[in-house]
Amino acid sequence: VQLQASGGGWVQAGGSLRLSCAASGRSFSGDAMGWFRRAPGKEREFVAAINWSGGVTYYGDSVKGRSTISRDNAKNTVYLQMNSLKPEDTAVYYCVADSELHHIANTGPNPPIDYWGQGTQVTVSS
């Protein structure tokens, strides 16, 4: 099982990026999926979560109102559209999947998440 994140890069403040995470190895259409990030010298931070159908979403306070999580179960892929990017959004972004949405929509230090992908770097310059 693999979660392959892509779409990161360099962008100026105020710009937008769309991250993608393609899952392989098995279908995740029945699982919750989401995103975390880790900035240099900071704790890992919850970004966004989406339930299996896409009908329920949660966002971390730092991205709420600027980001949208969505998914395409036919493609086994989850997306994170980020707008109005700020330098403080600079981080490595990780895609995750778990059978329980509340495991992902979790601000605790060690969320019990089944699957973590490799990260994709997002750098926002001022």
Side-chain angles (χ1 to χ4, degrees), residues 37 45-48 58-66 86 107:
R37 68 185 184 186
E45 178 185 16
F46 165 69
V47 176
Y58 294 101
Y59 296 93
D61 289 342
S62 60
V63 302
K64 197 174 295 182
R66 300 186 295 121
K86 306 174 182 179
T107 58

Side-chain angles (χ1 to χ4, degrees), residues 19 34-48 62-63 80 82 87-96 106-111 113 116-124:
L19 305 185
W35 296 88
F36 281 75
R37 68 185 184 186
R38 176 169 278 167
K42 294 189 177 181
E43 299 274 329
R44 185 173 55 203
E45 178 185 16
F46 165 69
V47 176
S62 60
V63 302
L80 182 67
M82 299 189 294
E88 50 264 44
D89 293 317
T90 294
V92 177
Y93 285 71
Y94 298 91
C95 172
V96 300
N106 187 325
T107 58
N110 293 302
I113 295 171
W116 290 81
Q118 97 298 346
T120 185
Q121 176 72 47
V122 171
T123 302
V124 184

Side-chain angles (χ1 to χ4, degrees), residues 5 11 19 32 34 39 44 50 56 71 82 87-88 90 96 100 102 104-105 118-119 125-126:
V11 64
L19 305 185
R44 185 173 55 203
I50 188 167
V56 180
R71 65 189 297 163
M82 299 189 294
E88 50 264 44
T90 294
V96 300
E100 300 289 340
H102 69 274
I104 298 176
Q118 97 298 346
S125 65
S126 58

